[in-house]
Amino acid sequence: MPETPQLPTVAGRPARVVSLVYNDASADSRVQKTAATLRAAGADARIVAISRESAGHAPGPGTVGAGVPVYRVHDLDLTRLLPGLTRGWRRWRGRNPDGTTPVSSVPEPATGAAPSTASAPPAVGGEAAPPAVHPAQAVAVDLWMRLYQTTRLGYWWLGAVRAARDVAPDVVHANDANSLVPALLTTAGTPGRVVYDSHELWRRRNTRQDRWLAPAVDALVEALGTRLAAGVITVSPSIVDWLQRRYRLADPPTLVRNIPTARQVPPREGGRLRAMAGLGEDDKVVSYTGSITTGRGLEETVDALALLGDDVHLVLLGYGAPQYVTRLLVRARQAGVADRMHLVGAVPSELVPQTLADADVAVVYVRPICLSYRFSLPNKLFESIHAGLPIVAADLPDTAEVVRRYGVGEVFDARSPAELAEAIRAVLADPGEYRRAAGAASASLTWEGEAERMLGLYARVLGARADR
């Protein structure tokens, strides 16, 4: 494998890069890979994230991934700071004081009903809010959650700026628009520059449609950030085009897709998915990997499973909010396939291809309920290709283009469970060619190939300050 190109030094030292991300960075493979690549290219790269003590990610310094330094800023977590208030708040909203929701409060969807795509706002401590029982209560909960989440973000911004300024970075890598404000504040009045990495189409992501202030602020921040940034990166060709047109950028954003690092396709017999689900070699395994949540076509996939033979099983590798998982299990029971849907938990991102290897086909399904989803290019597509699996993918522009170009599977109408079932049936009937195509495609679809473009952008950004 060729050596990683080296970035210019600044004033005789490695370039200092701070990557800002509004999560704990423990499971964000893109953020980890970006920082690791910059370090391999000679930069002093580190991550500034947010703490999540309930998951074991305390405030202060640490490492993630392959030893990448991370500093986690204190989170404004009222569950920890004001436990008595939190317990009272939960009782008032119909929860148990420990934060769990009584099973009786989780509604069962009506048979044949279309799945809801609305996401409940997170509650104190990050829980999802159950349905309110009174209109006044619903308004109070909504106003409180908006205020709390806005204050929580602002609190992280302040901590992130302090942590980043201590490093005196040459470049601040802003992961998504919610980190643009602290990135711009960190570099204000300094020679430092900002690189904006848009992991999705931020202004058209899946959010509540009854809001007006937050989208207006998002639009203002991203418009200002893209114009002030020294470089813009994003994850799919469609988002590249949208950002360039919307903000009238002289140069298109740099395309850096979120693809796993180069590796050999694991042997099928080395996979773990069947063992995790308790399935045998005679079973047909349809895999799903990623967040178990709304907008991922899981309801339609359950409906499609009911149209397939009794030997076909759906195995979900990932995690989701308990309320959503409960509703999905209810739907599976109503469809008569509860015994053929298996939730096996999550594994670290670097182990996903190895784990998936003994599946028969991977479903890559994002419902186009917002423009960001329509333009997405999911990690699970590339993880499944790296596992050597045939793909059954929703007919969305960027996803379908990859599937068709490399011949790794079939594309189906994203609105039709019947078409999904037919595509799965077609692949299961003759998977060999698709498996061979996936193995060949994995050799050229690598993070190292994507990172070359990112490092080229960084070389240009650092060029003005580089040693001559």
Side-chain angles (χ1 to χ4, degrees), residues 172 193-197 225-226 228-233 253-254 457 460-461:
V172 177
R193 311 296 299 278
V194 172
V195 168
Y196 174 40
D197 189 346
T226 53
L228 294 178
V232 179
I233 296 170
T254 300
L457 170 64
R460 294 191 296 274
V461 170

Side-chain angles (χ1 to χ4, degrees), residues 268 274 281 283-286 357-362 384-385 387-392 406-410 422-440:
R268 187 174 185 277
R274 290 173 186 270
E281 281 301 313
D283 296 308
K284 302 294 185 184
V285 175
V286 178
D358 62 343
D360 293 296
V361 59
S384 299
I385 289 173
L389 296 184
I391 307 297
V392 170
Y406 293 97
V408 294
E410 295 288 333
E422 183 56 35
I424 293 173
R425 196 177 290 115
V427 170
L428 291 176
D430 187 15
E433 188 57 37
Y434 297 125
R435 278 191 173 274
R436 286 188 287 274

Side-chain angles (χ1 to χ4, degrees), residues 47 98 276 383:
I47 299 167
D98 63 359
M276 293 171 73
E383 289 170 335

Side-chain angles (χ1 to χ4, degrees), residues 55-76:
H57 305 301
T63 60
V64 292
V68 176
V70 61
Y71 183 88
R72 294 187 174 96
V73 175
H74 271 282
D75 182 18
L76 186 63

